[in-house]
Amino acid sequence: MRIVVVGEGMIEIARTANGAARFGYGGDTLNTAIHLARCGHDVAYLTALGSDAESLDLRRRWTGEGIDTALIAVDPTRGPGLYMIRTEGGERSFTYWRDNSAARQMFDLSGSATMIAAAERAEVFVYSLITLAILPKLARGRLFDVCKTVKSAGGKVVFDGNYRARLWTDVAAANAARDAALACCDIGLPTLDDERLLGAKDDADVARHWRERGASEVVVKLGSAGCRLDDGRVVAPPSVLVPVDTSGAGDAFNAGYLDARLRGVEPAAAAMAGHRLAGWVVMEPGAIPARTAAAPYR
């Protein structure tokens, strides 16, 4: 099954316990794409990088993860975004430098039309509210057109409601973009904490809103409490963990859940698969930990 994931992959700088810097890469949809590829799926990542050495290194490393990088446009004047991560007690905080990243122009570069046409042939199309936040308004419209084309051909559209306030002018703009995405959404993956910042009361309110706006299947992520399924059941993680680094936990859950659902697994069992993958990620440093024997990939 061909999966196309859209978003921004960035250079990650993480401070270690002794104050040294560790370099890696990450980004919400990139994290999900890599986990899906590690699960054995055919995954292409749609974005833009520069022609600089760092961009070339990112492309090489993502290819090494099993990602098809043919849908990565080249911006001759811009490069990748950058973020720094700090962790205290397992919880993370971020500082970003992404305002002039190549990914913001992914739909306006040479070759973009060919990339869009390839994305329209996806059987599964995945993006997030962060993807929408970094794109200009006209580019968001092009992305929504891709969603409609994928759905009309019988494919599935997956939308993750990652909300980062600093990327939006105000809450109203973020809500409007999210609701536009839900109008063409098969599987919705909101996070309760994010939705509360956008005005939701509780997990039931989130599920109701996402279903009423168009999402066919909604899983509300509840952090350490687990997730809420469409039937109202809360599926808790298999064990209580003391995280080393919570970076990318929700993105890993998305991948574990989607991998299982695309294989025909029912939602509750798929949620457990998502919890297991997220649980492994939070016990390792970085948004995309190196694979270990404990990693719960197929």
Side-chain angles (χ1 to χ4, degrees):
M1 187 172 290
R2 179 67 161 175
I3 302 174
V4 174
V5 185
V6 189
E8 180 179 23
M10 294 174 286
I11 298 170
E12 176 188 86
I13 304 176
R15 289 191 176 274
T16 62
N18 62 7
R22 184 187 70 249
F23 289 84
Y25 47 83
D28 65 334
T29 57
L30 174 67
N31 303 339
T32 297
I34 289 176
H35 288 306
L36 286 169
R38 289 179 178 181
C39 287
H41 292 280
D42 174 13
V43 182
Y45 196 58
L46 174 57
T47 189
L49 291 170
S51 57
D52 56 285
E54 295 301 328
S55 292
L56 295 174
D57 183 60
L58 288 176
R59 185 188 293 264
R60 177 185 59 79
R61 295 175 71 182
W62 299 348
T63 299
E65 285 282 6
I67 297 292
D68 179 355
T69 59
L71 302 189
I72 298 180
V74 177
D75 189 320
T77 62
R78 299 187 181 202
L82 170 72
Y83 69 94
M84 179 175 287
I85 182 171
R86 292 175 180 265
T87 56
E88 294 184 12
E91 290 300 324
R92 77 276 196 244
S93 60
F94 299 91
T95 303
Y96 293 94
W97 295 269
R98 70 195 307 180
D99 290 349
N100 293 306
S101 72
R104 291 177 176 266
Q105 304 299 315
M106 70 176 83
F107 287 111
D108 297 302
L109 297 168
S110 175
S112 293
T114 301
M115 292 163 46
I116 291 171
E120 290 175 337
R121 296 192 292 273
E123 293 167 276
V124 182
F125 187 72
V126 184
Y127 69 108
S128 74
L129 191 58
I130 292 178
T131 308
L132 295 178
I134 68 167
L135 293 176
K137 188 172 182 179
L138 286 177
R140 290 179 200 166
R142 295 191 191 105
L143 190 151
F144 291 144
D145 288 341
V146 173
C147 293
K148 294 170 186 175
T149 301
V150 169
K151 279 183 68 74
S152 67
K156 292 186 178 296
V157 175
V158 181
F159 177 64
D160 177 7
N162 266 346
Y163 171 61
R164 300 294 181 268
R166 64 175 67 89
L167 295 177
W168 295 95
T169 54
D170 52 42
V171 169
N175 271 321
R178 178 204 58 197
D179 289 350
L182 295 181
C184 191
C185 173
D186 292 290
I187 299 178
L189 299 165
T191 298
L192 178 57
D193 285 347
D194 290 346
E195 292 293 310
R196 278 178 168 153
L197 294 174
L198 294 172
K201 298 176 182 177
D202 53 28
D203 56 327
D205 188 32
V206 175
R208 176 194 56 75
H209 182 90
W210 279 55
R211 288 298 297 268
E212 288 181 354
R213 292 289 179 167
S216 304
E217 177 178 333
V218 180
V219 180
V220 184
K221 291 172 282 185
L222 307 175
S224 61
C227 65
R228 181 192 192 277
L229 304 180
D230 270 332
D231 59 11
R233 282 182 294 168
V234 172
V235 179
S239 58
V240 177
L241 302 172
V242 180
V244 171
D245 183 350
T246 57
S247 304
D251 312 324
F253 174 88
N254 292 350
Y257 181 82
L258 290 173
D259 169 55
R261 289 295 287 139
L262 294 176
R263 292 185 287 111
V265 176
E266 58 92 16
M272 289 301 294
H275 289 327
R276 286 192 293 270
L277 187 52
W280 171 72
V281 166
V282 301
M283 300 309 293
E284 302 286 339
I288 296 289
R291 293 181 72 156
T292 66
Y297 297 116
R298 289 191 289 124

